[in-house]
Amino acid sequence: LPYVPRVPAMALLGKVTATTFALERPCCIFDRHANASDTVWLVVAFANASAAFRNPRSRADVPRYEQLPTAHSYMTLETAMATYSCSAPSPAVLRVGDDTACRDQSRHDPCNGPLPSPGPYRVKFLLMGCHGPKAETQWSDPILLRRAVSPSTIDPAPTHRGSAVVVIASILASLGTVLATAVLAALGAMLWGSLCQQDLGIRSFTHRSYRTHHIPPALPQPLPLSCDC
């Protein structure tokens, strides 16, 4: 079939993580080739091993999630054909690798466990009936997962660019402090000068002497006459 699986183009939280990725749900792809009893599988393979993948002849031959390290591929998300029909109200996306519990349980259903490495991976949808494969899509483009950053690779020292930014910020902060200090000092000097002028005015008024030239000086009073004279 000409359909090519792909990661959704729309913004989606957790669209690609270190262990999972989302896929658009195919719709109206298998309707002309399927019966109601058929199922649709998702084949997941390392990108460099997808060309070597061979479709299983029956459900018993389906490669399991646990075989990925050695077989380099597995099949998962076995789903009834009706889920991918044109009228199915199914979710718009599928998430590969989101079942963290299935690999720890002894279950017979296909595991959709976390992907063990960044990949890249290729995927395709495979329609299987009672007698084996009936139709399949094209392989997707390589899908590379996010890589977790090791704490040992993080440089605790800032980069040169970061250091320059810190230095410039420090200089600007220092200039701001100096400018504020200068303004406060100028205001203080102006206030002090005003107070001094007021004080000098009061002192000059208190100690200033006035000569009253229009008032004649007082003459000395004569001694009183003695009674014995």
Side-chain angles (χ1 to χ4, degrees), residues 136-166:
E136 62 182 329
T137 68
Q138 304 292 318
W139 285 101
S140 69
D141 292 332
I143 301 172
L144 182 65
L145 303 187
R146 296 184 180 275
R147 296 179 182 270
V149 178
S150 174
S152 60
T153 62
I154 300 176
D155 186 4
T159 61
H160 296 293
R161 182 177 179 182
S163 301
V165 172
V166 171

Side-chain angles (χ1 to χ4, degrees), residues 101-159:
C102 71
R103 62 180 178 181
D104 299 325
Q105 300 176 0
S106 299
R107 303 191 315 194
H108 296 291
D109 56 328
C111 177
N112 184 28
L115 297 167
S117 69
Y121 299 92
R122 289 181 185 268
V123 298
K124 71 175 181 178
F125 290 94
L126 178 63
L127 175 67
M128 291 190 66
C130 298
H131 303 288
K134 299 178 65 175
E136 62 182 329
T137 68
Q138 304 292 318
W139 285 101
S140 69
D141 292 332
I143 301 172
L144 182 65
L145 303 187
R146 296 184 180 275
R147 296 179 182 270
V149 178
S150 174
S152 60
T153 62
I154 300 176
D155 186 4
T159 61

Side-chain angles (χ1 to χ4, degrees), residues 17-21 44-46 65-70 72-74 96-97 103 112-121 145-148:
T17 70
T19 57
T20 68
F21 62 88
V44 183
F46 287 112
Y65 167 79
E66 295 80 6
Q67 299 175 300
L68 178 61
T70 55
H72 308 300
S73 60
Y74 70 101
V96 181
R103 62 180 178 181
N112 184 28
L115 297 167
S117 69
Y121 299 92
L145 303 187
R146 296 184 180 275
R147 296 179 182 270

Side-chain angles (χ1 to χ4, degrees), residues 3 7 15 45 54 88-89 95 102 111 117 127 144 153 157 162 169 181 229:
Y3 180 80
V7 174
K15 181 164 55 176
R54 297 292 179 266
R95 186 166 297 278
C102 71
C111 177
S117 69
L127 175 67
L144 182 65
T153 62
T181 304
C229 297

